[in-house]
Amino acid sequence: MTGAERGDILQNSMTYGLFTGAFVMHYGAEKVGILVIPAGPGNTERQINLMRDFGTTMLHITPSYALYVASVMQDKGINPRKDLKLKRAYLGAEPYSEETRRKIEDMLGIDIYNCYGLTEMNGPGVGFECKYKQGLHIWEDNFLMEVVNPETGEPVPEGEIGELVLTTLNREAMPLIRYRTRDLTRIIAEPCKCGRTHRRITRILGRSDDMFIVKGVNIFPQQIEQVLMSIKGVAQNYQIVLDSYDDMTVKVEIDKEIFDGKIDRLIKMKEEIIEKIRSATLVKPKVELLEPGTLPVSEGKAKRVIDNRTI
Amino acid sequence: MSKVYIISVFAENKPGRLERVTKVLTEANINILAFSITSTNGFGVIKFMVNKCKEAYDLLKEKGFTVSLNEAIGIEMKDQPGGLYEVVKILSSKGINIESASVYVAETRKRAYLIVEVDDTSKAMEALSGEPLKFLNPEEIQ
């Protein structure tokens, strides 16, 4: 549904081992006749060498790691459009914003498709984007989907945001009935331009349990990410640190390329970040500008929120 | 009249940052002639004029620092009372605004240079060309 076909070469940079993500994609791709390079995450230079040596056309990777790999390519002077054969990537395992998708697409010169799944439902492939990239089709012949209010457990009206609840329809031996995913999304009931009749969900907006509360306001890390990725001069990595219930500190790495030695510009950028986060979340954050490479690099699921509050 | 260059390094305001930068310069046997630090809530910019500018810039970049190379003008001042005044009087009469400045003392108690970054270096140099000022020649500091 995204154009992958026999002859493609998939570099699978998800963790193999006790994580279904890598395996489902691996076996699925083999079934289509796609060569799979079981790269696993990490060792970024080797990842790039593999892409070059094998002529990798597709990646399966987490968003945070994709951003990191793309920035390493930039540092090493590799132009993916010329030096590599990448066409598309499948991103999953972490929620991320539309801005991040566009940023990675632009950095790597590829199409990126969202993929959704969870170990309890056999891993990725519960939902997948088609070429229109406007939500993920859920395979409704395999899964019964509902969206409920996470607090009451009651279904919400179609189209409203809530927690996705899934029931397996074809699984034998261990069917799961009304499994609460903790993933927040909403159903898009309108028919898709691609002609598939399976209904879609929006990208995962967050987890009903990774939301945090500051000054009594519910905030999802994706809201912050969306703001950061829209600001020029901000590098890929960021972290939200919570030390009290009244403050949040957003740590942001600056982009090496925009640094021109002028402190005014940095101050303006910092003010812009504060103002945009305030208008998106209603909470005025503290912002720290960091040197690139200061924050820990993610090679799997990124840890974006550091909650140091004890009560 | 020729331009000189200033190296700017972005740094968080934390112990050890200046040490890291200067260690790199020390090991490459690069001499710092003038330097300044501007710091504001949590971060700052360290600026250096060194004897081997391009080399220092490439080296710091290679070592992963967030660094930029900026044009500047070096203007001679007498190292005596009124030395700075005489120079800035002319700059302000030409409407040239100083974005950042540092001082390079070439000969103690005799001759120093005011190193300034301005908005538009070429334009400022043109404006100053007819003035009774002596400018620092990059060859003098190599």
Side-chain angles (χ1 to χ4, degrees), chain A residues 36-293:
Chain A
V36 183
I37 305 165
N43 200 340
T44 307
E45 282 194 30
R46 196 188 61 173
Q47 298 275 358
I48 298 169
N49 289 340
L50 285 171
M51 288 177 207
R52 204 160 34 193
D53 295 348
F54 282 85
T56 302
T57 58
M58 320 197 293
L59 297 174
H60 181 213
I61 192 167
T62 60
S64 55
Y65 191 44
L67 273 170
Y68 181 67
V69 171
S71 70
V72 170
M73 284 183 191
Q74 273 183 353
D75 286 350
K76 297 203 168 297
I78 293 166
N79 176 354
R81 288 175 173 79
K82 273 206 306 221
D83 305 333
L84 304 173
K85 294 186 175 147
L86 292 177
K87 289 189 281 195
R88 62 187 78 87
Y90 304 111
L91 266 56
E94 298 165 352
Y96 69 114
S97 63
E98 189 60 32
E99 284 74 13
T100 305
R101 162 170 26 206
R102 283 202 214 102
K103 190 159 183 169
I104 307 172
E105 283 187 329
D106 188 51
M107 287 170 90
L108 293 178
I110 58 173
D111 281 308
I112 286 177
Y113 301 97
N114 282 327
C115 165
Y116 173 70
L118 50 156
T119 300
E120 298 82 350
M121 295 288 147
N122 301 353
V126 174
F128 226 102
E129 276 185 330
C130 63
K131 65 175 183 178
Y132 291 100
K133 302 181 195 171
Q134 285 171 4
L136 299 96
H137 292 278
I138 297 286
W139 302 119
E140 289 189 282
D141 50 352
N142 248 318
F143 303 100
L144 180 78
M145 70 164 159
E146 297 166 85
V147 173
V148 305
N149 177 328
E151 272 157 37
T152 62
E154 292 298 318
V156 298
E158 190 172 79
E160 278 185 23
I161 295 173
E163 180 180 335
L164 184 65
V165 172
L166 294 169
T167 298
T168 59
L169 297 177
N170 296 320
R171 190 151 80 178
E172 294 175 11
M174 198 183 77
L176 286 174
I177 298 167
R178 301 202 78 208
Y179 183 81
R180 292 189 60 171
T181 64
R182 297 280 172 195
D183 291 326
L184 298 174
T185 184
R186 72 183 172 79
I187 292 177
I188 306 168
E190 296 80 39
C192 180
K193 278 186 269 182
C194 75
R196 286 180 185 81
T197 51
H198 289 318
R199 286 178 302 165
R200 289 167 292 159
I201 57 169
T202 64
R203 64 171 55 248
I204 301 303
L205 304 167
R207 299 265 302 161
S208 62
D209 50 7
D210 77 357
M211 183 192 80
F212 55 89
I213 300 178
V214 177
K215 285 188 174 169
V217 179
N218 296 353
I219 299 173
F220 291 99
Q222 290 70 44
Q223 290 176 282
I224 311 276
E225 177 178 317
Q226 210 166 357
V227 167
L228 294 177
M229 294 302 151
S230 72
I231 295 173
K232 197 170 158 12
V234 172
Q236 292 78 24
N237 222 350
Y238 71 94
Q239 208 169 53
I240 301 160
V241 181
L242 306 171
D243 287 314
S244 83
Y245 287 88
D246 295 324
D247 278 314
M248 68 171 159
T249 304
V250 180
K251 297 185 171 185
V252 182
E253 290 183 1
I254 68 161
D255 183 349
K256 267 190 192 147
E257 301 307 315
I258 69 112
F259 180 67
D260 59 1
K262 301 205 164 77
I263 204 156
D264 308 9
R265 182 146 164 202
L266 296 169
I267 294 172
K268 265 192 206 132
M269 184 170 105
K270 183 171 163 171
E271 283 165 359
E272 185 186 355
I273 297 172
I274 293 174
E275 184 45 38
K276 285 196 172 159
I277 292 178
R278 195 198 57 77
S279 82
T281 64
L282 306 176
V283 173
K284 187 173 171 183
K286 287 182 185 156
V287 169
E288 285 179 21
L289 298 185
L290 307 180
E291 293 162 50

Side-chain angles (χ1 to χ4, degrees), chain A residues 259-262 270 291-292, chain B residues 12 17 47 66 68 70 99:
Chain A
F259 180 67
D260 59 1
K262 301 205 164 77
K270 183 171 163 171
E291 293 162 50
Chain B
E12 290 156 52
R17 298 296 153 153
K47 288 177 180 283
T66 304
S68 83
N70 297 86
E99 288 196 6

Side-chain angles (χ1 to χ4, degrees), chain B residues 5 7 25 30-34 48-53 56 141:
Chain B
Y5 285 93
I7 293 167
L25 298 178
I30 289 168
N31 193 19
I32 300 168
L33 305 173
F48 298 100
M49 185 173 78
V50 298
N51 56 343
K52 293 175 255 180
C53 251
I141 56 174

